[in-house]
């Protein structure tokens, strides 16, 4: 217990000042974003060039992450796949945030009946845990990268809606909203100028945290053969493709997965930091 | 409010709410069946393009499934069948959905139970070993949890499969009978779940350690480790226990991925095959089953919670 009492008095340890996790996350994303925007700048091979003679080369200086069963360079395909993998994740997050904001704000601003209705809708949506809602959606509308992104977006919406509903309810009941009403501002102006900014500000952190989750879910669907289909250099599809040859060439499935993990971790670390920073600023 | 009324509310209102959620979930699956683009008869015949039914067959099926009746009648019929346990007939397997489920369920339940056990052991070990060890221990522990919670099942499964089955040969590569074939898939499911449970338990443990009863136990001479294990842990376990409903539901839906990685039979594999074949009766049957499992476990945890924690035995706010 004594450590708890004296800890604040000590100088900040080196680890906390450098923040190794945050720095690593920043560096990784600083490399992935250019890869997504201009993959040609970071690679020398063509992503779909088939060279049967070079099949299953282990990682080397010529092929950093090795080659796959068709002699395609895994590193090149990873860089070219960054765009599609991230785009699906971003699209899904944008969709789920839009749905979440609509439901959450309806509940908080629409009075008791709206709040009750939204509450019941969310309860039902929560009864379809994880990928379940996305799978149901794909069973109805078919497979494909776009359907997968929409499916993930719908599957994640309930979680956002719950958080936004709680946040908006707190804001609506707060002293400063009451003050704005007391000053005689019309309701629409109070909503636009006072309620919305305070509800939407914490969303920056939430959205960052959500991108990692979306990337994982979307690539899970591709891995299962329900999202982007194999010739595409999407990370989940690459992993699914390489899994067949796991015994002979671990690198064709290891590296796509590693990139998915690093993307998720980076967005999680940065999102948490953002959340802590926003919390500290608002209090 | 008297104690009887309070008890009635707790044991009556909460189950009624759960039943309503299940009814709504059944309605969602009914809508899904009717949202499929194209003629529902062709969907029921399995995909459409491959089959080339005669108009007589189509008319017969339309009548047999009641598709010639108004939508509300179909809806009532659908709910009525579900209540009696009739989930329809799988279009890809040409078998009753209920039969397919009972056939695949035991393997999945085994896997879920072992995964849940592993997850609790892992989360408990990391949290107990890393709290109270200074800043470094806490950073290590929570770092480990963050990484674990972010690991996608398909990648973790492939890595475990490569290292422990292909290279070391400790476990069978695919299928396998008995416990040996169960360890790797259960670990794959358990590690990310342990990450989440660990994060929640750690937060609750840190809160509990700041409570006055901890200080008083320490003043009476109890060691720091004993206080953590015997006093604070009981409080810290409540928040993650309430997550059990979510955890079981999440495990069931993650099994779609894990059973496919390890080529295991089970509910998840059946669901994936059904989605790929667009076998809507089987998809909606399994989705409803998982929703029911989630709702019922959540309900059981809620009712047990009141037994375990005397503080919430007052009338609930609804």
């Amino acid at each position: 217990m004594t450590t708890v009492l004296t800890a604040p008095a000590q100088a900040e340890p080196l680890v906390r000042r450098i923040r190794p996790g945050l720095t690593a996350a920043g560096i990784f994303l600083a490399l992935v974003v250019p890869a997504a925007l201009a993959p040609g700048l970071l690679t020398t091979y063509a992503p779909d060039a088939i060279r049967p003679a070079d099949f299953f080369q282990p990682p080397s200086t010529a092929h950093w992450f090795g080659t796959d069963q068709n002699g395609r360079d895994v590193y090149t395909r990873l860089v070219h796949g960054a765009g599609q993998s991230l785009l699906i994740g971003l699209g899904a997050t944008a969709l789920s945030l839009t749905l979440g904001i609509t439901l959450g704000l309806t509940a908080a601003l629409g009075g008791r009946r709206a709040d009750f209705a939204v509450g019941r809708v969310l309860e039902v949506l929560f009864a379809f845990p994880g990928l379940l809602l996305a799978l149901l959606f794909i069973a109805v509308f078919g497979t494909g990268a776009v359907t997968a992104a929409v499916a993930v977006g719908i599957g994640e919406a309930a979680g956002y809606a719950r958080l936004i509903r709680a946040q908006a309810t707190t804001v609506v009941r707060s002293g400063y909203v009451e003050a704005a009403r007391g000053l005689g501002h019309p309701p629409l102006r109070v909503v636009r100028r006072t309620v919305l900014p305070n509800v939407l500000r914490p969303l920056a952190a939430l959205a960052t945290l959500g991108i990692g989750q979306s990337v994982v879910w979307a690539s899970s669907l591709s891995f299962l053969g329900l999202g982007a289909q194999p010739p595409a250099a999407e990370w989940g599809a690459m992993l699914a493709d390489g899994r067949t040859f796991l015994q002979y060439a671990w690198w064709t499935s290891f590296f796509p997965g590693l990139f998915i993990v690093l993307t998720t971790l980076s967005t999680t670390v940065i999102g948490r930091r953002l959340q802590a920073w926003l919390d500290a600023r608002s209090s | 409010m008297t104690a009887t009324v309070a008890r009635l509310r707790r044991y009556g209102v909460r189950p009624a709410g759960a039943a309503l959620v299940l009814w709504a979930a059944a309605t969602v699956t009914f809508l899904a069946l009717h949202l499929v683009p194209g003629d529902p008869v062709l969907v029921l015949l399995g995909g459409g393009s491959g089959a080339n039914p005669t108009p007589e067959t189509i008319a017969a099926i339309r009548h047999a499934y009641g598709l010639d009746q108004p939508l509300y009648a179909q809806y009532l019929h659908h709910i009525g069948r579900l209540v009696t346990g009739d989930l329809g007939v799988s279009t890809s397997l040409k078998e009753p959905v209920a039969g397919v489920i009972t056939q695949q369920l035991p393997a999945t339940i085994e896997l879920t139970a072992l995964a849940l056990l592993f997850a609790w052991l892992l989360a408990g070990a990391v949290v107990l070993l890393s709290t109270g060890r200074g800043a470094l221990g806490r950073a290590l522990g929570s770092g480990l949890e963050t990484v674990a919670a972010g690991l996608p099942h398909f990648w973790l499964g492939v890595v475990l499969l490569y290292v422990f089955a292909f290279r070391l040969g400790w476990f069978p590569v695919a299928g396998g009978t008995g416990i040996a074939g169960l360890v790797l898939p259960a670990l794959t499911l358990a590690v990310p779940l342990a990450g989440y449970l660990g994060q929640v338990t750690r937060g609750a443990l840190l809160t509990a350690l700041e409570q006055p009863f901890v200080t008083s136990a320490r003043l009476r001479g109890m060691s720091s480790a004993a206080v953590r294990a015997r006093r604070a842990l009981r409080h810290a376990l409540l928040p993650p226990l309430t997550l059990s409903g979510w955890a079981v539901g999440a495990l069931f839906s993650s099994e779609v991925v894990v059973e496919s990685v390890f080529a295991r039979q089970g509910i998840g594999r059946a669901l994936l095959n059904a989605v790929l074949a667009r076998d809507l009766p089987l998809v909606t049957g399994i989705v409803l089953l998982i929703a029911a499992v989630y709702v019922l476990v959540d309900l059981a945890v809620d009712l047990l919670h009141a037994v375990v924690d005397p503080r919430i035995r007052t009338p609930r706010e609804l």
Side-chain angles (χ1 to χ4, degrees), chain B residues 191-213:
Chain B
V191 168
L193 181 60
Y196 283 111
L197 291 177
Q199 285 170 346
V200 178
T201 315
R202 173 186 310 278
L205 188 63
L206 291 177
T207 317
L209 282 174
E210 282 168 12
Q211 299 297 311
F213 68 81

Side-chain angles (χ1 to χ4, degrees), chain A residues 189-238:
Chain A
R189 187 193 141 111
V190 174
V191 167
R192 214 178 53 235
R193 299 279 296 269
T194 316
V195 176
L196 276 188
N198 285 295
V199 173
L200 298 186
R201 201 169 297 134
L203 283 186
L206 215 57
T208 318
L209 285 169
I211 290 170
Q213 175 75 53
S214 303
V215 168
V216 167
W217 279 20
S219 51
S220 298
L221 292 176
S222 300
F223 173 80
L224 293 172
L226 303 172
Q229 301 296 324
E234 199 267 350
W235 295 345
M238 283 176 71

Side-chain angles (χ1 to χ4, degrees), chain B residues 38-96:
Chain B
D39 191 340
V41 172
L42 295 181
V43 174
L44 285 170
L45 280 171
S49 59
N52 199 6
T54 59
E56 290 79 41
T57 321
I58 292 183
I61 287 177
R62 188 165 308 226
H63 184 71
Y65 281 86
L67 291 169
D68 47 0
Q69 287 169 19
L71 205 59
Y72 75 89
Q74 290 184 40
Y75 175 67
L76 290 179
H77 182 65
H78 180 82
I79 298 289
R81 277 192 325 153
L82 288 182
V83 169
T84 56
D86 178 7
L87 296 170
V89 177
S90 156
T91 57
S92 62
L93 303 172
K94 316 287 180 207
E95 276 177 62

Side-chain angles (χ1 to χ4, degrees), chain A residues 172 176-185 190:
Chain A
V172 167
Y176 52 83
V177 168
E178 202 182 325
R181 279 216 202 99
L183 285 171
H185 294 311
V190 174

Side-chain angles (χ1 to χ4, degrees), chain A:
Chain A
M1 289 314 284
T2 46
T3 49
V4 174
L5 293 174
T6 53
Q10 288 171 350
E12 266 202 313
L14 194 66
V15 186
R16 286 196 62 77
R17 265 181 290 151
I18 299 180
R19 300 187 180 286
L22 193 66
T23 315
I27 291 174
F28 179 76
L29 286 189
L31 288 172
V32 166
V33 172
L37 295 177
L41 292 181
L42 295 167
T43 55
T44 46
Y45 299 97
D48 299 318
I50 291 175
R51 275 181 303 276
D54 288 348
F55 79 102
F56 288 150
Q57 297 279 318
S60 63
T61 43
H63 300 285
W64 292 0
F65 296 161
T67 60
D68 68 5
Q69 71 275 19
N70 293 320
R72 295 174 296 189
D73 184 54
V74 173
Y75 166 74
T76 306
R77 285 176 62 72
L78 271 178
V79 170
H80 280 267
Q84 193 176 8
S85 307
L86 292 185
L87 195 65
I88 296 179
L90 284 175
T93 310
L95 176 68
S96 56
L97 272 177
T98 313
L99 289 172
I101 290 173
T102 315
L103 279 173
L105 284 183
T106 311
L109 300 173
R112 285 184 68 160
R113 276 191 197 152
D115 188 55
F116 181 81
V118 170
R120 298 294 82 75
V121 168
L122 291 185
E123 234 173 273
V124 174
L125 289 180
F126 276 117
F128 300 101
L131 282 172
L132 221 51
L133 211 53
L135 288 173
L136 187 61
F137 185 84
I138 289 174
V140 171
F141 294 103
T143 57
V146 177
T147 332
V150 175
V152 170
I154 291 176
E156 288 180 330
Y160 288 115
R162 182 164 65 173
L163 289 169
I164 292 162
R165 179 189 178 205
Q167 170 75 14
T169 311
T170 318
V171 169
V172 167
R173 287 182 190 154
S174 68
Y176 52 83
V177 168
E178 202 182 325
R181 279 216 202 99
L183 285 171
H185 294 311
L188 257 180
R189 187 193 141 111
V190 174
V191 167
R192 214 178 53 235
R193 299 279 296 269
T194 316
V195 176
L196 276 188
N198 285 295
V199 173
L200 298 186
R201 201 169 297 134
L203 283 186
L206 215 57
T208 318
L209 285 169
I211 290 170
Q213 175 75 53
S214 303
V215 168
V216 167
W217 279 20
S219 51
S220 298
L221 292 176
S222 300
F223 173 80
L224 293 172
L226 303 172
Q229 301 296 324
E234 199 267 350
W235 295 345
M238 283 176 71
L239 209 167
D241 204 20
R243 180 176 59 128
T244 328
F245 312 104
L246 185 62
Q247 199 174 354
Y248 319 106
W250 54 270
W251 50 89
T252 55
S253 29
F254 178 79
F255 288 110
L258 186 68
F259 268 57
I260 297 168
V261 173
L262 290 179
T263 307
T264 318
L265 277 182
S266 304
T267 53
T268 307
V269 168
I270 290 174
R272 288 236 183 99
R273 189 68 212 122
L274 199 60
Q275 204 164 30
W277 182 71
L278 286 168
D279 281 353
R281 230 177 52 141
S282 65
S283 64

Side-chain angles (χ1 to χ4, degrees), chain B residues 208-225:
Chain B
L209 282 174
E210 282 168 12
Q211 299 297 311
F213 68 81
V214 167
T215 317
S216 89
R218 287 287 284 144
L219 279 173
R220 287 199 308 273
M222 210 172 180
S223 76
S224 168

